[in-house]
Amino acid sequence: MNYAEIKKNDIANGEGVRTSLFVSGCRNRCKNCFNAVTWDFLYGKPFDQAVEDDIIASTRPRWISGLSLLGGEPFEPENQAPLLAFLRRFRTALPGKTVWCYTGFTLEELLGKSGECRACTPHTRELLGLIDILVDGRYVEELADITLAFRGSKNQRVLDLPATLTTGEPVLYLERQSTTRIISKRDHSRPTAFAAKSINKTAPVIRNGPQGRFLYCLSYFFLGFFTYTATSQ
């Protein structure tokens, strides 16, 4: 597997401050995809042991909430085996961190409930079991809405994956979060960076236009300030 990019201290692709891994390869090819360069499976660099080590090290600080997987398409069959091996290692090394994953497939497709799907492999269910939040569905330009948090079009869902797999019904994370604070299922003592999460709530909404770019840069300034304060104590 190749990867296109690793974004550290990312506040746009999931809750809190995160490390985001963009894998290479995608056959969904959504119209006006924001990251079309990653469609090519050969784009970028090899995902090897040194890259894994770097991601784990960058996610280890207490103010980092977790890891986000994007692409490209993490659930392309070629990408599932290496990502599964990595997530097993990541969960062992950092059990208190959350894992978000963005996919163009729906959860029903990944579970084989919507007919035959190329993404259904022997690795799929275990891979899903290592993910906390799944943002599913293709980007549909006609349904695009810049006010949506953590997704680009109205058809996409932000799923609390452990709860969804347990109940058998889609559990929408953001709707549940609006009425009750949801803590990681795997570690109820995980510390939260309040300042980073506060900044993060606006980040997906304000990145467009001159004013949006100014506010986005301003959020990074405050993020850097709070990070420096936290590390200097």
Side-chain angles (χ1 to χ4, degrees):
M1 182 181 79
N2 278 15
Y3 73 97
E5 184 180 6
I6 296 171
K7 286 187 178 181
K8 300 175 182 177
N9 298 313
D10 185 7
I11 61 172
N13 294 299
E15 200 171 47
V17 187
R18 316 185 67 79
T19 295
S20 295
L21 168 65
F22 293 77
V23 302
S24 296
C26 181
R27 298 183 180 91
N28 291 325
R29 307 201 168 198
C30 301
K31 180 182 177 183
N32 285 333
C33 168
F34 85 104
N35 210 11
V37 68
T38 64
W39 293 353
D40 184 355
F41 284 86
L42 298 179
Y43 180 78
K45 300 176 182 179
F47 186 74
D48 56 22
Q49 179 78 34
V51 177
E52 291 188 12
D53 292 344
D54 182 52
I55 292 174
I56 290 174
S58 71
T59 315
R60 191 175 297 279
R62 62 184 178 88
W63 65 86
I64 303 296
S65 298
L67 170 71
S68 294
L69 304 174
L70 308 91
E73 173 55 65
F75 279 93
E76 285 291 358
E78 295 90 332
N79 293 338
Q80 289 191 36
L83 283 178
L84 176 57
F86 172 58
L87 283 189
R88 287 171 180 161
R89 183 184 174 206
F90 182 87
R91 284 299 190 190
T92 299
L94 301 171
K97 305 292 184 175
T98 58
V99 176
W100 284 53
C101 182
Y102 288 74
T103 177
F105 299 102
T106 65
L107 178 61
E108 290 76 14
E109 289 173 326
L110 295 174
L111 293 175
K113 295 181 178 180
S114 299
E116 186 175 347
C117 176
R118 70 173 185 275
C120 293
T121 79
H123 307 296
T124 307
R125 285 185 178 267
E126 184 179 357
L127 190 56
L128 288 170
L130 295 172
I131 294 168
D132 295 294
I133 305 296
L134 185 74
V135 184
D136 77 338
R138 297 188 181 201
Y139 170 72
V140 179
E141 187 177 33
E142 293 74 16
L143 300 176
D145 183 347
I146 64 171
T147 68
L148 296 172
F150 305 126
R151 61 206 191 277
S153 58
K154 293 178 180 178
N155 62 298
Q156 295 172 315
R157 302 175 297 183
V158 182
L159 296 171
D160 180 332
L161 196 49
T164 296
L165 295 175
T166 298
T167 62
E169 298 292 335
V171 177
L172 301 178
Y173 176 69
L174 297 179
E175 281 72 4
R176 286 188 65 185
Q177 190 188 40
S178 66
T179 57
T180 180
R181 181 174 181 268
I182 298 178
I183 303 176
S184 169
K185 306 295 184 298
R186 293 181 172 83
D187 187 351
H188 290 263
S189 63
R190 180 173 61 84
T192 302
F194 173 77
K197 291 185 70 174
S198 299
I199 295 170
N200 183 72
K201 290 179 180 178
T202 60
V205 181
I206 63 175
R207 285 181 291 170
N208 296 285
Q211 182 181 12
R213 285 192 291 272
F214 169 75
L215 292 174
Y216 193 58
C217 291
L218 186 63
S219 72
Y220 264 104
F221 168 79
F222 283 109
L223 173 62
F225 172 77
F226 285 117
T227 300
Y228 172 79
T229 303
T231 56
S232 61
Q233 289 178 348

